Amino acid sequence: MTVAQIAANTTVLAGAAVLAYLGFQFFQKKKKEIIPWNWEEVGSLSHLYIYPLKSGHRMEVTRAECTEVGLKQTEEDEKVLQLRDRGLVVYAERNNEFRTARTYPQLMQIDISVHDEKHLAIDAPTMRTLYVKIPNNTDNKEIKIKLHKGEECYSIDCGDEAALWFSRYILEKDTGLRLGYHDGSQRRDITKTHNKYLEFYKNLTNSSIGLYSDLTSLLLVNQTSVNDLKQRISNTTISANNFRPNLVVDGLDLKPYTEDNWEWIKIGDVVLRNVKDCTRCTMTTIDPDTSIRDKNREPLATLEKYRMSNGPDALPVMGINLEVRKTGIIKVGDKVLVSKK
Ligand SMILES: *[C@@H]1O[C@H](CO)[C@@H](O)[C@H](O)[C@H]1NC(C)=O
Ligand SMILES: *[C@@H]1O[C@H](CO)[C@@H](O)[C@H](O)[C@H]1NC(C)=O
Ligand SMILES: *[C@@H]1O[C@H](CO)[C@@H](O)[C@H](O)[C@H]1NC(C)=O
Ligand SMILES: *[C@@H]1O[C@H](CO)[C@@H](O)[C@H](O)[C@H]1NC(C)=O
Ligand SMILES: *[C@@H]1O[C@H](CO)[C@@H](O)[C@H](O)[C@H]1NC(C)=O
């Protein structure tokens, strides 16, 4: 072979490698983008909830924008700033670790609203209203808040006045807790911390993840499955709200827990992908309106008897965690369509 021939062969090989790589990339992308066409109507959207503060009180809405990182108020509701699901989180000053209602059930009593173009209003029983300047990363300190499994999450600190208010309300002290804000400008990266999950849940990726949600951008609960659980406990004070869903779907009664088999869900223009069963912890045993823990660990204790996940958590399941594949507006009363693919 002459030098020219070798050069030519190398070019061909390199070209082939590039093509193969691009083809692979295309295939990968393509695989992700095939949205099914065979939809089946299973019910309708009965409730929509946004939790502006992680572990905080729910905000019920009749419509919401479904973004890649979860639900957001629409501009009709709030002209100045639209609150996002789990866009705020309480964290410990000492080590920047997030805090939830698992340790501080009083968090569930906190309501967040938009006060004016510059301030959020934060309310809790026995506390005066706190007005927090809507933080931004020029005026406020950028920090990394540690979430589950030590995952570090981009955040903006809300300042000393908010820190004082939260420390007083939760700890009855002047320091200890601070408030973090996520402006949605960065996505989370779970590839270093959640390997066990990524290996087991094949459809779960970085793009499934919400702002400060435990993992995915959305949680859907089927009312029929909750009704079945309530019957088993014979306690009527337990409701879908114990499970802190974003979407509650109600439909005709067939047999419980069919949502486990839904691979794809379509509500209006929005297309969602089932990426994970939602494993449940002791937070479900705290009454979401009074913050009182159930003495008998219900509804978790009953759920443990018949609905354990076979995934890495070995915890009981209620609801499905969804990735947003096509964004848009969703409304209470919208038809819910599913595809098993
Ligand atoms: C940050 O907030 C301050 C005070 O509200 C405001 O003056 C400033 O314009 C904001 N910066 C950005 C980049 O939004
Ligand atoms: C998401 O995951 C990939 C690895 O699959 C990684 O390279 C990337 O940096 C991650 N982070 C974000 C924010 O997308
Ligand atoms: C995830 O993806 C695989 C194929 O890659 C599929 O077989 C599986 O059913 C999907 N769904 C869920 C919820 O894991
Ligand atoms: C909820 O569960 C019931 C009972 O399994 C089922 O009939 C219904 O299709 C499910 N889905 C919706 C959207 O309600
Ligand atoms: C029902 O649940 C509520 C709240 O979890 C609890 O306070 C109450 O004691 C329970 N009642 C019965 C009869 O188990």
Side-chain angles (χ1 to χ4, degrees):
M1 264 192 287
T2 65
V3 173
Q5 273 173 326
I6 291 170
N9 284 342
T10 315
T11 311
V12 167
L13 276 178
V18 166
L19 279 180
Y21 176 74
L22 289 178
F24 176 73
Q25 291 289 309
F26 179 73
F27 177 69
Q28 289 290 307
K29 233 180 134 113
K30 193 91 179 135
K31 197 170 79 180
K32 224 185 141 103
E33 277 168 3
I34 296 173
I35 289 174
W37 46 269
N38 53 331
W39 298 103
E40 182 190 335
E41 187 180 334
V42 292
S44 64
L45 198 57
S46 63
H47 297 278
L48 265 175
Y49 298 110
I50 296 174
Y51 304 80
L53 171 70
K54 184 178 180 69
S55 280
H57 199 238
R58 64 189 177 278
M59 169 188 274
E60 181 155 17
V61 292
T62 53
R63 62 180 177 286
E65 187 182 336
C66 189
T67 75
E68 283 181 9
V69 288
L71 297 184
K72 187 181 174 186
Q73 286 183 299
T74 62
E75 277 184 42
E76 287 90 339
D77 294 327
E78 213 64 79
K79 295 267 182 284
V80 274
L81 172 84
Q82 292 85 43
L83 293 173
R84 290 171 174 277
D85 189 58
R86 275 89 172 190
L88 292 157
V89 69
V90 172
Y91 71 98
E93 187 168 18
R94 185 167 54 86
N95 55 12
N96 284 8
E97 260 175 26
F98 79 122
R99 290 290 178 261
T100 69
R102 277 179 285 271
T103 30
Y104 303 126
Q106 315 92 291
L107 281 173
M108 285 191 183
Q109 310 295 301
I110 298 178
D111 281 300
I112 313 273
S113 56
V114 179
H115 180 64
D116 59 28
E117 67 269 24
K118 290 217 175 75
H119 299 88
L120 298 173
I122 305 188
D123 285 291
T126 75
M127 297 292 287
R128 68 171 169 79
T129 303
L130 167 74
Y131 299 101
V132 186
K133 186 186 86 69
I134 296 163
N136 65 44
N137 59 5
T138 52
D139 280 26
N140 296 70
K141 205 171 72 172
E142 243 182 70
I143 35 142
K144 297 257 189 241
I145 294 179
K146 282 201 207 81
L147 302 178
H148 282 299
K149 321 266 173 215
E151 179 203 339
E152 295 198 334
C153 180
Y154 158 86
S155 305
I156 303 173
D157 179 74
C158 293
D160 292 342
E161 219 190 312
L164 178 65
W165 190 97
F166 275 88
S167 302
R168 285 208 177 137
Y169 173 57
I170 305 284
L171 306 174
E172 297 176 6
K173 291 198 288 194
D174 286 349
T175 57
L177 296 175
R178 300 192 68 86
L179 183 64
Y181 175 75
H182 202 307
D183 63 5
S185 68
Q186 293 187 23
R187 289 302 296 264
R188 281 162 58 186
D189 186 354
I190 59 163
T191 50
K192 287 187 199 77
T193 47
H194 290 72
N195 259 314
K196 251 185 357 185
Y197 292 79
L198 294 168
E199 270 164 34
F200 186 82
Y201 300 107
K202 297 294 180 203
N203 303 290
L204 184 74
T205 69
N206 280 347
S207 28
S208 316
I209 311 304
L211 297 178
Y212 294 124
S213 52
D214 281 350
L215 274 175
T216 72
S217 308
L218 287 177
L219 166 64
L220 178 148
V221 162
N222 182 345
Q223 185 65 51
T224 312
S225 304
V226 176
N227 294 348
D228 176 73
L229 171 64
K230 272 167 67 173
Q231 256 175 15
R232 292 170 192 252
I233 312 173
S234 57
N235 187 332
T236 48
T237 61
I238 281 152
S239 77
N241 292 333
N242 285 68
F243 299 97
R244 304 174 63 77
N246 298 112
L247 315 174
V248 182
V249 172
D250 215 341
L252 289 174
D253 222 347
L254 296 174
K255 50 183 185 339
Y257 311 124
T258 49
E259 73 265 31
D260 295 0
N261 307 317
W262 302 349
E263 286 287 337
W264 294 83
I265 296 156
K266 192 170 184 305
I267 307 173
D269 288 335
V270 172
V271 178
L272 308 163
R273 182 77 167 93
N274 178 357
V275 294
K276 188 182 168 294
D277 54 6
C278 186
T279 47
R280 313 313 310 232
C281 69
T282 52
M283 201 138 124
T284 58
T285 67
I286 303 168
D287 185 309
D289 295 310
T290 63
S291 290
I292 297 170
R293 275 183 216 273
D294 188 81
K295 285 186 295 291
N296 304 317
R297 280 182 69 251
E298 294 294 6
L300 201 61
T302 298
L303 209 50
E304 279 166 358
K305 290 185 195 141
Y306 72 105
R307 273 207 104 207
M308 293 298 287
S309 168
N310 50 14
D313 276 340
L315 287 171
V317 174
M318 178 59 84
I320 49 179
N321 287 129
L322 306 171
E323 178 178 307
V324 180
R325 285 293 178 84
K326 196 160 171 287
T327 60
I329 301 282
I330 55 180
K331 299 185 294 300
V332 168
D334 279 352
K335 282 179 190 163
V336 175
L337 309 173
V338 307
S339 175
K340 301 193 188 105
K341 199 95 202 295

